[in-house]
mmCIF file with all atom_site columns, all heavy atoms in Angstrom:
data_model
loop_
_atom_site.group_PDB
_atom_site.id
_atom_site.type_symbol
_atom_site.label_atom_id
_atom_site.label_alt_id
_atom_site.label_comp_id
_atom_site.label_asym_id
_atom_site.label_entity_id
_atom_site.label_seq_id
_atom_site.pdbx_PDB_ins_code
_atom_site.Cartn_x
_atom_site.Cartn_y
_atom_site.Cartn_z
_atom_site.occupancy
_atom_site.B_iso_or_equiv
_atom_site.pdbx_formal_charge
_atom_site.auth_seq_id
_atom_site.auth_comp_id
_atom_site.auth_asym_id
_atom_site.auth_atom_id
_atom_site.pdbx_PDB_model_num
ATOM 1  N N   . VAL A 1 5   ? 5.914   15.640  -16.515 1.00 0.00 ? 5   VAL A N   1
ATOM 2  C CA  . VAL A 1 5   ? 4.957   14.761  -15.967 1.00 0.00 ? 5   VAL A CA  1
ATOM 3  C C   . VAL A 1 5   ? 4.687   15.141  -14.483 1.00 0.00 ? 5   VAL A C   1
ATOM 4  O O   . VAL A 1 5   ? 5.730   15.333  -13.778 1.00 0.00 ? 5   VAL A O   1
ATOM 5  C CB  . VAL A 1 5   ? 5.394   13.295  -16.141 1.00 0.00 ? 5   VAL A CB  1
ATOM 6  C CG1 . VAL A 1 5   ? 4.533   12.376  -15.329 1.00 0.00 ? 5   VAL A CG1 1
ATOM 7  C CG2 . VAL A 1 5   ? 5.370   12.857  -17.507 1.00 0.00 ? 5   VAL A CG2 1
ATOM 8  N N   . ARG A 1 10  ? 3.234   10.061  -3.435  1.00 0.00 ? 10  ARG A N   1
ATOM 9  C CA  . ARG A 1 10  ? 4.256   10.480  -2.440  1.00 0.00 ? 10  ARG A CA  1
ATOM 10 C C   . ARG A 1 10  ? 5.137   9.164   -2.239  1.00 0.00 ? 10  ARG A C   1
ATOM 11 O O   . ARG A 1 10  ? 4.760   8.231   -2.754  1.00 0.00 ? 10  ARG A O   1
ATOM 12 C CB  . ARG A 1 10  ? 3.639   10.926  -1.183  1.00 0.00 ? 10  ARG A CB  1
ATOM 13 C CG  . ARG A 1 10  ? 2.812   9.959   -0.476  1.00 0.00 ? 10  ARG A CG  1
ATOM 14 C CD  . ARG A 1 10  ? 2.222   10.387  0.824   1.00 0.00 ? 10  ARG A CD  1
ATOM 15 N NE  . ARG A 1 10  ? 3.272   10.939  1.733   1.00 0.00 ? 10  ARG A NE  1
ATOM 16 C CZ  . ARG A 1 10  ? 4.125   10.139  2.436   1.00 0.00 ? 10  ARG A CZ  1
ATOM 17 N NH1 . ARG A 1 10  ? 4.102   8.793   2.323   1.00 0.00 ? 10  ARG A NH1 1
ATOM 18 N NH2 . ARG A 1 10  ? 4.919   10.720  3.187   1.00 0.00 ? 10  ARG A NH2 1
ATOM 19 N N   . VAL A 1 308 ? 7.847   1.451   -15.651 1.00 0.00 ? 308 VAL A N   1
ATOM 20 C CA  . VAL A 1 308 ? 7.406   2.821   -15.734 1.00 0.00 ? 308 VAL A CA  1
ATOM 21 C C   . VAL A 1 308 ? 7.691   3.518   -17.138 1.00 0.00 ? 308 VAL A C   1
ATOM 22 O O   . VAL A 1 308 ? 6.836   4.223   -17.671 1.00 0.00 ? 308 VAL A O   1
ATOM 23 C CB  . VAL A 1 308 ? 8.073   3.631   -14.539 1.00 0.00 ? 308 VAL A CB  1
ATOM 24 C CG1 . VAL A 1 308 ? 7.690   5.069   -14.627 1.00 0.00 ? 308 VAL A CG1 1
ATOM 25 C CG2 . VAL A 1 308 ? 7.470   3.064   -13.253 1.00 0.00 ? 308 VAL A CG2 1
ATOM 26 N N   . GLY A 1 345 ? 5.892   -10.364 18.417  1.00 0.00 ? 345 GLY A N   1
ATOM 27 C CA  . GLY A 1 345 ? 4.894   -11.370 18.835  1.00 0.00 ? 345 GLY A CA  1
ATOM 28 C C   . GLY A 1 345 ? 3.822   -11.580 17.720  1.00 0.00 ? 345 GLY A C   1
ATOM 29 O O   . GLY A 1 345 ? 2.756   -12.004 17.937  1.00 0.00 ? 345 GLY A O   1
ATOM 30 N N   . ARG A 1 509 ? -0.385  21.648  17.789  1.00 0.00 ? 509 ARG A N   1
ATOM 31 C CA  . ARG A 1 509 ? -1.450  21.264  18.728  1.00 0.00 ? 509 ARG A CA  1
ATOM 32 C C   . ARG A 1 509 ? -0.831  20.898  19.969  1.00 0.00 ? 509 ARG A C   1
ATOM 33 O O   . ARG A 1 509 ? 0.202   20.250  20.061  1.00 0.00 ? 509 ARG A O   1
ATOM 34 C CB  . ARG A 1 509 ? -2.253  20.190  18.120  1.00 0.00 ? 509 ARG A CB  1
ATOM 35 C CG  . ARG A 1 509 ? -3.322  20.660  17.268  1.00 0.00 ? 509 ARG A CG  1
ATOM 36 C CD  . ARG A 1 509 ? -4.336  19.583  17.136  1.00 0.00 ? 509 ARG A CD  1
ATOM 37 N NE  . ARG A 1 509 ? -3.992  18.724  16.018  1.00 0.00 ? 509 ARG A NE  1
ATOM 38 C CZ  . ARG A 1 509 ? -4.783  17.644  15.796  1.00 0.00 ? 509 ARG A CZ  1
ATOM 39 N NH1 . ARG A 1 509 ? -5.764  17.344  16.370  1.00 0.00 ? 509 ARG A NH1 1
ATOM 40 N NH2 . ARG A 1 509 ? -4.342  16.882  14.751  1.00 0.00 ? 509 ARG A NH2 1
ATOM 41 N N   . HIS A 1 520 ? 5.933   0.255   26.371  1.00 0.00 ? 520 HIS A N   1
ATOM 42 C CA  . HIS A 1 520 ? 5.412   -0.045  25.056  1.00 0.00 ? 520 HIS A CA  1
ATOM 43 C C   . HIS A 1 520 ? 4.247   -0.789  24.930  1.00 0.00 ? 520 HIS A C   1
ATOM 44 O O   . HIS A 1 520 ? 4.132   -1.981  24.510  1.00 0.00 ? 520 HIS A O   1
ATOM 45 C CB  . HIS A 1 520 ? 6.620   -0.905  24.273  1.00 0.00 ? 520 HIS A CB  1
ATOM 46 C CG  . HIS A 1 520 ? 6.545   -0.728  22.845  1.00 0.00 ? 520 HIS A CG  1
ATOM 47 N ND1 . HIS A 1 520 ? 6.133   -1.792  22.082  1.00 0.00 ? 520 HIS A ND1 1
ATOM 48 C CD2 . HIS A 1 520 ? 6.825   0.310   21.988  1.00 0.00 ? 520 HIS A CD2 1
ATOM 49 C CE1 . HIS A 1 520 ? 6.157   -1.358  20.786  1.00 0.00 ? 520 HIS A CE1 1
ATOM 50 N NE2 . HIS A 1 520 ? 6.536   -0.274  20.757  1.00 0.00 ? 520 HIS A NE2 1
ATOM 51 N N   . VAL A 1 529 ? -2.164  4.949   31.905  1.00 0.00 ? 529 VAL A N   1
ATOM 52 C CA  . VAL A 1 529 ? -2.449  4.360   30.748  1.00 0.00 ? 529 VAL A CA  1
ATOM 53 C C   . VAL A 1 529 ? -1.698  5.055   29.604  1.00 0.00 ? 529 VAL A C   1
ATOM 54 O O   . VAL A 1 529 ? -2.038  6.227   29.417  1.00 0.00 ? 529 VAL A O   1
ATOM 55 C CB  . VAL A 1 529 ? -3.904  4.129   30.410  1.00 0.00 ? 529 VAL A CB  1
ATOM 56 C CG1 . VAL A 1 529 ? -4.113  3.511   29.055  1.00 0.00 ? 529 VAL A CG1 1
ATOM 57 C CG2 . VAL A 1 529 ? -4.644  3.468   31.566  1.00 0.00 ? 529 VAL A CG2 1
ATOM 58 N N   . ASN A 1 564 ? -6.453  0.629   16.791  1.00 0.00 ? 564 ASN A N   1
ATOM 59 C CA  . ASN A 1 564 ? -5.904  -0.138  17.846  1.00 0.00 ? 564 ASN A CA  1
ATOM 60 C C   . ASN A 1 564 ? -6.544  0.072   19.148  1.00 0.00 ? 564 ASN A C   1
ATOM 61 O O   . ASN A 1 564 ? -6.677  1.335   19.580  1.00 0.00 ? 564 ASN A O   1
ATOM 62 C CB  . ASN A 1 564 ? -4.365  0.141   18.035  1.00 0.00 ? 564 ASN A CB  1
ATOM 63 C CG  . ASN A 1 564 ? -3.570  0.046   16.730  1.00 0.00 ? 564 ASN A CG  1
ATOM 64 O OD1 . ASN A 1 564 ? -3.167  -0.953  16.345  1.00 0.00 ? 564 ASN A OD1 1
ATOM 65 N ND2 . ASN A 1 564 ? -3.563  1.152   15.957  1.00 0.00 ? 564 ASN A ND2 1
ATOM 66 N N   . GLU A 1 580 ? -9.395  13.272  24.014  1.00 0.00 ? 580 GLU A N   1
ATOM 67 C CA  . GLU A 1 580 ? -10.868 13.187  23.559  1.00 0.00 ? 580 GLU A CA  1
ATOM 68 C C   . GLU A 1 580 ? -10.698 12.813  22.104  1.00 0.00 ? 580 GLU A C   1
ATOM 69 O O   . GLU A 1 580 ? -9.589  12.894  21.563  1.00 0.00 ? 580 GLU A O   1
ATOM 70 C CB  . GLU A 1 580 ? -11.523 14.513  23.755  1.00 0.00 ? 580 GLU A CB  1
ATOM 71 C CG  . GLU A 1 580 ? -10.771 15.695  23.168  1.00 0.00 ? 580 GLU A CG  1
ATOM 72 C CD  . GLU A 1 580 ? -11.376 17.027  23.364  1.00 0.00 ? 580 GLU A CD  1
ATOM 73 O OE1 . GLU A 1 580 ? -12.109 17.108  24.315  1.00 0.00 ? 580 GLU A OE1 1
ATOM 74 O OE2 . GLU A 1 580 ? -10.988 17.983  22.667  1.00 0.00 ? 580 GLU A OE2 1
#
Side-chain angles (χ1 to χ4, degrees):
V5 169
R10 64 180 305 283
V308 173
R509 271 196 278 177
H520 201 251
V529 180
N564 304 275
E580 56 187 19

